[in-house]
Amino acid sequence: MARAAQRNDTMINPINITPSRLQHAIRHCISRRRPLMIWGPPGIGKSDIVALVAQDLGRPIIDIRLPLLEPTDMRGIPYLAEVKVYNEQGELVRDELGVPITDREFRWSPPSDLPTDKLSQALVFFDEISAAPPSVQAATYQIILNRRIGSYKLPDNVVMVAAGNRVRDKGVAYNMPTPLANRFSHVTLESNIDDWKAWAIRNKVHKDVVGYLSFQPQDLMNFNPSNDSYAFATPRTWYFTSDLLQDPDGSDAQIDSETLSDLIRGTVGDSAGTKFLSYRRSASSLPNAQDILDGKVKSLKNISPDVMHALVIALCYALFAGYVRARNAQANGDRDAVKSWHTTHVDTFFRFMMDNLPPEMCVFGGKTLLGNDSGVNVNGMLLQTWAEFTDRFLELMPSRN
């Protein structure tokens, strides 16, 4: 089996798909009860996307890590059962005292990890399936194709999704047997900066991480199987980096700069980490984003492209926080709070960008604010700058779809 794990990945790549399209694909396969296999390098977000779709659909997820199982864990363990004896007419056979006669036969216990409730709506997720030895993968043939294994039958409303790394990703992985592969629809997840940025803003990833990757999108995913480094940049490790930078309440983590530098470079790799730290030092010279939105700072000169990205993301994050405060104030009786947020801070944001930033950065800022998934809704009818901004830039703003 050790040799099998090192064989060249001879399978042809399945269709590449972005995170947003993968969510649609999972939903459609669920609606058809069609098993889906998601391939992709480590850290790209396969498991998180499956969990997100399950949560959105209200389906409990049963996460089965096949590399940790033996074939009998899927097939069940045989046991000696006591059974009643019936004659050819289907009548229970009894002894002279009227006691039912019994016999013994081997049966299989149902798999403990699979749902037994006939009304279950669970999503069974076979994660890291490609890291399971061939004997364990083979034990899933019947359950994936026929929705049963031995005497166990999968409840009608239960669905199945699987995910795993490719052999060439240099993890513990085996080529999937073709009989098992033929039981799935296959896609390969690829990273996409627009999808990731929308997710990052919605999940409050640190503004410096979002700003840097907006400027250097190639660093979102730079996994290279031929590189021997343990640390490399993936969507997962950038999220870890965000966690290193801030406390749960969003405030900056209290840690000395040298330790933070070591941890960041040890999380996303030395190259990406060094560039990110340099970006943070440049961004630290910017004026406070809230001061700009309050109109205290109206102009900036000679700012580099990386600092522009940092500035725009910082302004958008400040606007998102301001919108939440305005909504809360409105819920507490201030009926003009959201309108005031528009006419002061949002108008100032558009005015500042149009007066100080090149067109591509105005488009970037408009797309980040208007295309967010955080529930922040901008009403252009309330803005004095709206007509000018849309006249100059709306056609340049690509659709998120």
Side-chain angles (χ1 to χ4, degrees):
M1 289 196 301
R3 287 195 301 271
Q6 298 175 6
R7 292 187 318 179
N8 291 330
D9 189 357
T10 58
M11 305 300 288
I12 297 175
N13 286 340
I15 301 300
N16 288 341
I17 195 168
T18 62
S20 58
R21 285 170 49 211
L22 176 58
Q23 292 185 49
H24 293 306
I26 295 173
R27 289 172 181 271
H28 189 67
C29 285
I30 286 175
S31 72
R32 297 297 187 269
R33 297 195 313 170
R34 171 58 48 203
L36 178 68
M37 175 65 203
I38 307 166
W39 298 93
I44 199 169
K46 302 180 293 294
S47 303
D48 288 340
I49 292 173
V50 173
L52 176 63
V53 172
Q55 181 181 25
D56 288 348
L57 295 177
R59 288 179 175 268
I61 188 167
I62 300 175
D63 190 336
I64 298 178
R65 304 292 172 122
L66 289 176
L68 305 179
L69 304 183
E70 297 290 337
T72 53
D73 293 323
M74 289 300 302
R75 179 67 176 84
I77 298 175
Y79 67 97
L80 194 60
E82 188 174 90
V83 296
K84 295 178 180 179
V85 177
Y86 295 87
N87 60 25
E88 294 179 356
Q89 289 73 40
E91 299 170 339
L92 185 64
V93 178
R94 301 175 184 272
D95 62 16
E96 61 273 12
L97 298 177
V99 178
I101 296 177
T102 61
D103 197 356
R104 290 178 177 272
E105 66 179 30
F106 277 103
R107 292 187 176 180
W108 295 86
S109 60
S112 60
D113 290 328
L114 294 173
T116 56
D117 181 0
K118 293 183 178 180
L119 300 179
S120 175
Q121 299 273 338
L123 187 156
V124 176
F125 182 34
F126 295 113
D127 202 0
E128 300 176 2
I129 187 172
S130 56
S135 60
V136 178
Q137 292 190 36
T140 66
Y141 285 11
Q142 189 181 16
I143 190 71
I144 290 172
L145 180 63
N146 303 120
R147 298 178 60 83
R148 65 183 309 138
I149 185 166
S151 61
Y152 170 81
K153 184 177 184 299
L154 201 66
D156 290 342
N157 293 320
V158 171
V159 296
M160 291 175 286
V161 177
N165 302 137
R166 301 157 298 186
V167 172
R168 69 170 178 270
D169 292 327
K170 290 182 66 176
V172 177
Y174 299 82
N175 278 323
M176 180 176 284
T178 51
L180 177 59
N182 194 240
R183 286 158 163 80
F184 285 107
S185 297
H186 296 259
V187 293
T188 296
L189 180 61
E190 62 180 7
S191 61
N192 178 276
I193 187 60
D194 291 330
D195 284 355
W196 180 86
K197 192 173 76 171
W199 174 89
I201 291 173
R202 185 170 63 249
N203 287 275
K204 298 181 173 56
V205 171
H206 195 280
K207 60 182 176 60
D208 287 350
V209 174
V210 178
Y212 173 75
L213 291 176
S214 298
F215 175 62
Q216 297 282 5
Q218 72 278 3
D219 281 346
L220 173 62
M221 184 77 193
N222 67 5
F223 170 67
N224 183 351
S226 63
N227 192 329
D228 291 332
S229 174
Y230 289 116
F232 49 90
T234 68
R236 177 195 293 159
T237 55
W238 282 115
Y239 181 76
F240 292 165
T241 298
S242 171
D243 192 47
L244 292 172
L245 292 170
Q246 61 187 2
D247 291 330
D249 63 359
S251 60
D252 288 341
Q254 300 302 307
I255 184 173
D256 67 272
S257 59
E258 290 187 4
T259 302
L260 183 62
S261 172
D262 292 340
L263 289 172
I264 289 175
R265 290 184 292 113
T267 301
V268 295
D270 188 54
S271 176
T274 300
K275 290 189 291 181
F276 173 70
L277 292 165
S278 176
Y279 165 89
R280 287 199 84 207
R281 286 192 292 271
S282 299
S284 65
S285 63
L286 289 169
N288 181 273
Q290 194 60 50
D291 286 345
I292 294 176
L293 296 178
D294 289 338
K296 298 176 182 178
V297 178
K298 297 182 181 296
S299 63
L300 287 176
K301 295 181 179 179
N302 301 322
I303 54 177
S304 61
D306 60 335
V307 173
M308 290 182 193
H309 281 82
L311 177 62
V312 170
I313 291 297
L315 289 170
C316 287
Y317 268 52
L319 284 172
F320 297 152
Y323 181 81
V324 173
R325 291 193 297 270
R327 285 293 301 271
N328 290 338
Q330 188 162 291
N332 291 324
D334 184 353
R335 292 183 295 179
D336 294 328
V338 173
K339 180 180 179 181
S340 177
W341 173 79
H342 279 84
T343 57
T344 53
H345 295 154
V346 181
D347 256 330
T348 302
F349 170 71
F350 283 120
R351 182 76 274 152
F352 181 87
M353 286 201 303
M354 290 188 287
D355 289 347
N356 292 278
L357 301 180
E360 64 272 16
M361 293 308 302
C362 293
V363 171
F364 173 68
K367 185 181 179 185
T368 301
L369 176 62
L370 302 175
N372 76 89
D373 284 335
S374 302
V376 177
N377 299 312
V378 176
N379 184 353
M381 300 298 292
L382 299 177
L383 302 174
Q384 293 182 358
T385 54
W386 185 248
E388 180 183 354
F389 182 83
T390 54
D391 183 61
R392 291 173 59 181
F393 303 116
L394 191 60
E395 291 186 358
L396 300 177
M397 294 176 61
S399 169
R400 291 179 57 221
N401 297 323

